[in-house]
Amino acid sequence: MAPGGWQTKVPAITATFWVIKVLSTTIGETVADYLAVSVGLGPAVTDAIMLALLVTALVVQFRTRRYTPWIYWLCVVLVSIVGTQITDFFTDILGVPLHLSTAVFAVLLAAVFAIWYRQERTLAIASINTPRREGFYWAAILTTFALGTAAGDFATEALNLGFRNGTLLFGGLILATWIAFRLGAGQVLTFWIAYVLTRPLGASLGDLLTQDKDLGGLALGASVTSLLFLAAILVLVVREQLLVGRHGVAEKNAGPSGGRGQDHAWAGVCALAVVVAGFGLSLVQGSSPGTEPQADAAQTTATGASASAPVAQLVHPTTRLGNLSKFAAIVSDVQDKVTSNDLAGAKTRVKDLEVAWDNAEAGLKPRDATRWHEVDDRIDAALTVLRAAHPTQTACASAVADLMKTLNTFDGV
């Protein structure tokens, strides 16, 4: 026990630890997107809420005197959200290229480690048993999430990986890191490399479950995926909490409470249950009566005057981004409402476009990042004028027309 009554404040590095870490990464991303887009709070309000919750959770974490699973993992989930939001702020708001933000966060992480080592002469996870060391620990955790987000997005875009290949790539890199550890590589180094890599792995897994089937996903949606992952996290965290209550806080490097065999079994069963449930729900949804193919579903998204317009004529169906007709149908509907001066209706309808476009980002963006950004910029412009305090029909009509023109200029090459 450290001076002042502090015990080790972080969990043993076990299979349960890594499973919860990957699942919490996905939860963090989907919750932030849900609040910002689906609920309609917007990035600024969502960022403020998540930052306030993180500060509150960390205050509780620092006030505890020993490892408390539910508090610790709540902090990890919130750090996951805020770390992702930091990268998104630099990329989407400030326009910082991903390769630059990746380099900046890598330098920041190196600086955190350098200062941490200079002050404490150790970076060992087993030594997180004083307030100052825990402060360095959480600073490093936050930076790894920001770095993992930037590096993962950069790799996905630069290499056109997509979330399926991304899952294989980042999973393979983590496996290689584990092999390196088993062959004698430093424990501290391999731990932090794996910790960074779990961020893009978790995001890729989440996208694999949430993305539409025409984009290569399982089409479970963010809500179902979040509930699946949250259920698995709760099972593992509750078990951890019970073990801590029964056996006390385990000594670092002494193995998990309850034994490694039980730890591996619980972690493996929960991970397998998420995979099986995901594929099972996907098959059930795909075979449910009344399920429409994507192309037909796109036709039904437009209403009013746009319903009579052939969606196939709105956008080339074989662009490098894929079939964008379902987005064009919504834009056509918004355009009709603006033409009839129903700006309130257009503002409501454009929300559907925002949600659909953001939900499809992980599947579309890797196919052609440049053209994705072209459409994304036009969508943002339309959202801005339609949501202005005093929108005008002329400005709204111009922004929506520019958006439709951008969709129609794709030539499919």
Side-chain angles (χ1 to χ4, degrees):
M1 183 180 294
W6 274 51
Q7 297 180 11
T8 298
K9 299 289 297 296
V10 299
I13 310 306
T14 63
T16 293
F17 174 91
W18 289 114
V19 170
I20 299 177
K21 169 62 172 66
V22 173
L23 297 178
S24 65
T25 295
T26 302
I27 288 287
E29 185 170 9
T30 55
V31 168
D33 289 344
Y34 177 77
L35 292 175
V37 180
S38 299
V39 176
L41 297 180
V45 174
T46 302
D47 291 355
I49 292 174
M50 292 299 106
L51 183 59
L53 289 175
L54 173 60
V55 171
T56 302
L58 285 175
V59 169
V60 176
Q61 167 70 13
F62 273 83
R63 289 175 65 87
T64 61
R65 293 300 179 185
R66 68 176 196 173
Y67 168 55
T68 306
W70 75 267
I71 297 175
Y72 174 86
W73 287 110
L74 175 62
C75 289
V76 171
V77 170
L78 292 171
V79 168
S80 167
I81 297 172
V82 173
T84 300
Q85 290 173 324
I86 290 172
T87 300
D88 290 344
F89 175 79
F90 277 96
T91 303
D92 299 333
I93 306 300
L94 300 183
V96 178
L98 284 169
H99 69 273
L100 180 57
S101 59
T102 299
V104 169
F105 290 130
V107 171
L108 286 176
L109 183 59
V112 170
F113 285 144
I115 297 171
W116 182 357
Y117 186 79
R118 181 175 180 179
Q119 293 292 322
E120 302 295 333
R121 310 310 299 176
T122 179
L123 299 177
I125 309 306
S127 67
I128 310 300
N129 54 9
T130 69
R132 187 165 67 178
R133 288 180 178 181
E134 188 175 12
F136 284 123
Y137 175 80
W138 286 109
I141 294 295
L142 179 60
T143 310
T144 60
F145 272 107
L147 173 59
T149 302
D153 290 348
F154 174 60
T156 299
E157 288 189 19
L159 303 177
N160 293 322
L161 292 175
F163 45 84
R164 287 174 296 176
N165 292 333
T167 300
L168 295 175
L169 173 65
F170 296 117
L173 289 174
I174 291 175
L175 177 60
T177 303
W178 177 79
I179 292 173
F181 167 70
R182 299 294 295 179
L183 293 176
Q187 182 179 23
V188 173
L189 175 63
T190 52
F191 171 82
W192 287 111
I193 290 175
Y195 206 98
V196 171
L197 290 172
T198 53
R199 169 56 185 78
L201 174 63
S204 296
L205 285 172
D207 290 334
L208 181 63
L209 292 172
T210 59
Q211 290 297 304
D212 289 343
K213 292 184 179 180
D214 63 338
L215 298 175
L218 297 180
L220 294 186
S223 298
V224 174
T225 300
S226 296
L227 289 175
L228 279 176
F229 282 33
L230 181 60
I233 290 173
L234 287 176
V235 168
L236 293 174
V237 171
V238 167
R239 178 177 180 271
E240 284 275 291
Q241 192 70 59
L242 292 174
L243 288 174
V244 168
R246 185 182 308 160
H247 303 292
V249 179
E251 291 293 329
K252 296 298 290 182
N253 297 327
S257 299
R260 293 195 179 276
Q262 289 191 26
D263 172 69
H264 290 160
W266 276 89
V269 167
C270 285
L272 182 61
V274 169
V275 173
V276 171
F279 277 99
L281 288 172
S282 176
L283 292 174
V284 169
Q285 289 183 357
S287 61
S288 296
T291 301
E292 294 180 321
Q294 290 294 331
D296 294 337
Q299 300 276 358
T300 64
T301 57
T303 60
S306 63
S308 61
V311 175
Q313 295 180 6
L314 297 175
V315 63
H316 197 292
T318 57
T319 68
R320 281 186 289 185
L321 286 175
N323 190 335
L324 303 182
S325 57
K326 61 182 177 182
F327 307 110
I330 302 176
V331 175
S332 178
D333 202 19
V334 173
Q335 198 167 36
D336 290 338
K337 293 182 182 299
V338 171
T339 300
S340 61
N341 204 26
D342 180 12
L343 300 187
K347 177 181 176 181
T348 300
R349 184 65 172 132
V350 83
K351 172 74 173 180
D352 298 331
L353 176 65
E354 180 185 26
V355 172
W357 184 253
D358 285 352
N359 286 343
E361 177 181 350
L364 294 176
K365 195 173 182 180
R367 296 177 175 180
D368 191 331
T370 299
R371 293 198 169 181
W372 182 90
H373 280 293
E374 290 179 27
V375 179
D376 190 60
D377 290 343
R378 294 300 184 185
I379 291 176
D380 287 342
L383 290 172
T384 299
V385 296
L386 284 166
R387 292 173 175 172
H390 303 287
T392 65
Q393 184 181 24
T394 301
C396 292
S398 176
V400 175
D402 286 344
L403 171 56
M404 183 63 82
K405 181 180 179 180
T406 300
L407 290 173
N408 281 328
T409 54
F410 289 130
D411 55 11
V413 298

